[in-house]
């Protein structure tokens, strides 16, 4: 297929740990290595990246996240073809969020594709105690089946459930606040200037999220320790929502990352 279609370069996302363990990944690596096709590789500086890169001869690495400057400086010494930061994030173009009055009436919950900490159900249980709130819940494609069933059973006039949403920004613009986990969704919501809070799944995820948090680009809920503490943090967020715009620095990021990467690929590979 690659030869027939005369593919110029290929984009790989190497940051998915499940995919990296599959046999098909090794087959793909072997094919691309033999063909010497230039690659744009998306990763997040996981330990696995060092093992993966040795297979390829022509590549640029893209880490479209916010990191500490010292960390990036050290990585650039090792990877001259490294491009880091939100300017290289591949995001869909969406209308900016129109700021409404600071009255919390509608909340969006999104805990990624797997929600391995089962935070969605916990957030619903906390938020639904506020009977005036309208809640929308997005279920990812790889949720645990039993957890998914529990979530679906809670749907009512105040709780709306959505599955496998292609563009979260189109949904988010109808809500006053998003509560999300610490993945790529925060960059999507940042691109439309949405009000959102981030809960990290564990201490390791929070460490990765910390440079983003330190810039005060979101309301930060720290990392999950136990239900009682999460409930206290959510209640505090609800109570202080009227001050949200003073607690968070609204910074928009553009959606021209894909255009930049194509130009870089053309410059590097032609």
């Amino acid at each position: 297929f690659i030869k027939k279609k005369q593919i110029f370069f290929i984009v790989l996302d190497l940051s998915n740990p499940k995919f990296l363990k599959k046999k098909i990944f090794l087959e793909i690596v072997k094919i691309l290595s033999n063909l010497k096709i230039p690659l744009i590789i998306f990763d997040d500086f996981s330990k696995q990246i060092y093992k993966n890169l040795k297979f390829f001869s022509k590549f640029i690495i893209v880490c479209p996240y916010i990191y500490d400057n010292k960390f990036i400086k050290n990585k650039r010494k090792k990877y001259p073809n490294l491009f880091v930061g939100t300017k290289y994030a591949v995001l869909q173009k969406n209308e900016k969020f129109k700021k409404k009055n600071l009255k919390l009436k509608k909340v969006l919950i999104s805990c990624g594709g797997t929600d391995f900490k089962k935070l969605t159900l916990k957030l619903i249980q906390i938020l639904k105690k506020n009977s005036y709130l309208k809640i929308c819940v997005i279920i990812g494609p790889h949720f645990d089946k039993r957890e998914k069933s529990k979530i679906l059973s809670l749907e009512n006039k105040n709780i709306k459930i959505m599955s496998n949403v292609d563009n979260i920004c189109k949904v988010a613009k109808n809500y006053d606040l998003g509560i999300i986990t610490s993945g790529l969704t925060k960059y999507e919501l940042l691109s439309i200037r949405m009000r959102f809070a981030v809960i990290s799944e564990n201490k390791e995820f929070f460490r990765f999220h910390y440079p983003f948090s330190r810039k005060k680009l979101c309301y930060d809920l720290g990392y999950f320790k136990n239900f009682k503490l999460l409930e206290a943090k959510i209640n505090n967020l609800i109570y202080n929502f009227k001050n949200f715009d003073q607690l968070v620095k609204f910074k928009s990021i553009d959606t021209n990352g894909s255009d930049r990467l194509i130009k870089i690929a053309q410059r590097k590979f032609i």
Side-chain angles (χ1 to χ4, degrees):
F1 176 83
I2 293 170
K3 289 180 178 179
K4 184 179 178 181
K5 297 295 183 181
Q6 296 182 313
I7 301 298
F8 174 67
F9 67 84
I10 292 172
V11 179
L12 286 182
D13 180 356
L14 295 184
S15 59
N16 187 318
K18 287 188 177 182
F19 180 62
L20 296 178
K21 294 176 183 177
K22 295 184 179 294
K23 290 182 180 179
I24 192 173
F25 171 71
L26 296 177
E27 291 297 323
I28 291 172
V29 166
K30 186 177 178 181
I31 291 168
L32 298 181
S33 181
N34 291 337
L35 290 174
K36 292 183 169 51
I37 295 287
L39 302 169
I40 294 181
I41 300 171
F42 282 81
D43 209 309
D44 58 4
F45 289 124
S46 60
K47 293 178 181 177
Q48 191 69 28
I49 190 174
Y50 303 108
K51 297 178 182 177
N52 294 327
L53 293 179
K54 67 182 180 183
F55 296 111
F56 310 120
S57 56
K58 295 180 180 180
F59 60 84
I60 60 176
I61 311 168
V62 183
C63 297
Y65 315 108
I66 292 173
Y67 294 95
D68 287 322
N69 291 334
K70 185 179 179 181
F71 177 84
I72 295 304
K73 188 176 180 180
N74 292 333
K75 292 296 180 184
R76 283 207 172 103
K77 290 177 183 177
K78 189 165 187 175
Y79 303 115
N81 289 334
L82 175 65
F83 297 88
V84 182
T86 57
K87 66 186 292 186
Y88 303 111
V90 178
L91 301 167
Q92 296 186 63
K93 290 179 171 61
N94 293 285
E95 290 182 18
K96 295 287 188 292
F97 180 78
K98 293 179 181 178
K99 284 189 179 182
K100 304 172 185 176
N101 294 329
L102 280 165
K103 291 183 179 180
L104 185 59
K105 296 179 180 179
K106 300 171 73 178
V107 180
L108 176 68
I109 297 172
S110 176
C111 295
T114 58
D115 190 15
F116 68 94
K117 274 287 186 177
K118 299 178 173 54
L119 292 173
T120 300
L121 196 58
K122 295 178 179 68
L123 289 169
I124 295 172
Q125 290 170 341
I126 293 167
L127 290 169
K128 74 175 185 177
K129 293 178 182 178
N130 300 280
S131 57
Y132 63 92
L133 286 178
K134 299 289 184 182
I135 303 166
C136 178
V137 179
I138 295 177
I139 296 177
H142 305 296
F143 272 41
D144 177 83
K145 287 183 179 180
R146 283 186 295 181
E147 196 73 6
K148 184 176 179 179
S149 180
K150 289 178 184 177
I151 294 168
L152 289 170
S153 70
L154 295 173
E155 190 166 23
N156 58 39
K157 65 178 183 179
N158 285 340
I159 301 174
K160 180 180 180 181
I161 313 293
M162 301 179 72
S163 298
N164 304 330
V165 173
D166 291 329
N167 188 339
I168 191 173
C169 292
K170 286 186 177 180
V171 179
K173 67 181 183 180
N174 298 313
Y175 291 83
D176 306 312
L177 172 72
I179 300 179
I180 63 171
T181 45
S182 58
L184 281 171
T185 302
K186 62 192 176 192
Y187 294 98
E188 295 180 86
L189 297 186
L190 194 63
S191 74
I192 62 169
R193 295 174 65 85
M194 171 76 179
R195 294 184 179 107
F196 64 96
V198 174
I199 173 74
S200 298
E201 292 90 333
N202 53 38
K203 195 171 184 179
E204 184 181 351
F205 276 61
F206 180 73
R207 194 179 297 116
F208 180 76
H209 165 70
Y210 182 68
F212 186 101
S213 169
R214 198 170 64 179
K215 290 182 179 292
K216 299 191 181 300
L217 299 173
C218 65
Y219 187 101
D220 201 90
L221 295 166
Y223 63 92
F224 178 72
K225 294 180 181 177
N226 57 63
F227 182 87
K228 190 175 181 179
L229 185 58
L230 177 62
E231 184 174 32
K233 289 180 177 181
I234 295 295
N235 288 336
N236 189 55
L237 166 59
I238 293 170
Y239 180 77
N240 288 303
F241 188 72
K242 60 183 179 295
N243 300 316
F244 194 96
D245 289 0
Q246 283 73 53
L247 300 171
V248 171
K249 296 177 182 177
F250 282 94
K251 177 185 176 183
S252 182
I253 56 177
D254 68 46
T255 53
N256 300 320
S258 55
D259 295 331
R260 291 188 183 99
L261 290 174
I262 288 170
K263 289 177 182 177
I264 291 168
Q266 290 171 331
R267 189 171 69 246
K268 291 277 184 181
F269 300 146
I270 292 179

